[in-house]
Amino acid sequence: MHFDWETFTYDEEWLREAVRIEEEAGGDISAGYGWGSQLGAVMANPQGYSHFAQLRSLVMQAWKQLVSEWDLGIGAEAAEAKGQELIMERLHRPEPEIQETLLVLLESKLSKPQGEWEMTEAVHGQIRAVFGKVLSQEDWKAIAASARDHIYSHVLKQEPVAVESL
């Protein structure tokens, strides 16, 4: 869980990663939760928030695993960040079929004692199917473009170094 309701603090590792992603993107990429007027409802139902956080973590873990399988090297972080942004946008109000799939996965996780649930290939496959349904062709192109642009930028930064070493 990213937020500790007892101490009202964020997990330090998650917070560092969120800050790093936003700095890399050059600003706010909506990595946080836009609670606004909903903060009272969130605080009144910390178990609901915990379940939301676990579901989000489950989906993002599957996304990160998928991106790592693509072997994008230095472009992986950019693809991962862009995909996370798009997935969270698309899952803001998911179709009933997508909701049902995700809720069944969450219930499965919650039914196991803490630490005993694992991200199996079957679970990963179900979440990949969700990605296939919620991400459009344009979204996939944007994810690929993010990786491409990051690699391109990195290579261009290396050009002066290569010339200086001659």
Side-chain angles (χ1 to χ4, degrees):
M1 185 164 82
H2 303 303
F3 190 80
D4 182 346
W5 283 98
E6 292 180 333
T7 63
F8 284 93
T9 58
Y10 283 97
D11 173 69
E12 284 187 20
E13 183 180 330
W14 176 83
L15 187 57
R16 281 191 199 106
E17 180 66 10
V19 169
R20 184 194 61 75
I21 289 169
E22 289 190 336
E23 285 176 353
E24 185 176 291
D28 181 15
I29 60 168
S30 300
Y33 306 104
W35 291 337
S37 64
Q38 302 301 314
L39 182 58
V42 171
M43 292 182 72
N45 185 8
Q47 183 179 18
Y49 174 76
S50 172
H51 291 174
F52 166 77
Q54 289 182 52
L55 181 58
R56 183 182 189 281
S57 176
L58 178 71
V59 170
M60 290 303 118
Q61 180 184 352
W63 176 250
K64 188 172 186 166
Q65 182 179 342
L66 179 61
V67 172
S68 72
E69 291 171 8
W70 294 340
D71 196 22
L72 298 175
I74 61 170
E77 286 183 30
E80 186 179 316
K82 185 63 176 180
Q84 286 178 354
E85 173 189 342
L86 292 168
I87 290 165
M88 292 312 296
E89 282 178 23
R90 304 303 176 255
L91 290 179
H92 184 69
R93 296 188 193 275
E95 298 293 321
E97 175 188 349
I98 301 299
Q99 286 182 29
E100 180 66 25
T101 299
L102 293 175
L103 289 176
V104 166
L105 290 171
L106 178 61
E107 287 174 17
S108 171
K109 182 176 183 181
L110 293 173
S111 70
K112 303 274 186 187
Q114 188 171 5
E116 289 187 22
W117 186 87
E118 293 181 30
M119 173 74 82
T120 64
E121 281 303 314
V123 171
H124 190 71
Q126 290 176 298
I127 298 174
R128 282 183 183 199
V130 167
F131 297 152
K133 292 176 183 174
V134 300
L135 294 174
S136 69
Q137 187 67 27
E138 291 303 311
D139 292 338
W140 290 106
K141 287 178 182 179
I143 293 164
S146 293
R148 178 201 63 215
D149 293 348
H150 186 77
I151 293 168
Y152 182 80
S153 173
H154 183 76
V155 169
L156 290 181
K157 289 177 186 174
Q158 301 307 310
E159 183 182 353
V161 173
V163 171
E164 288 174 7
S165 66
L166 292 178

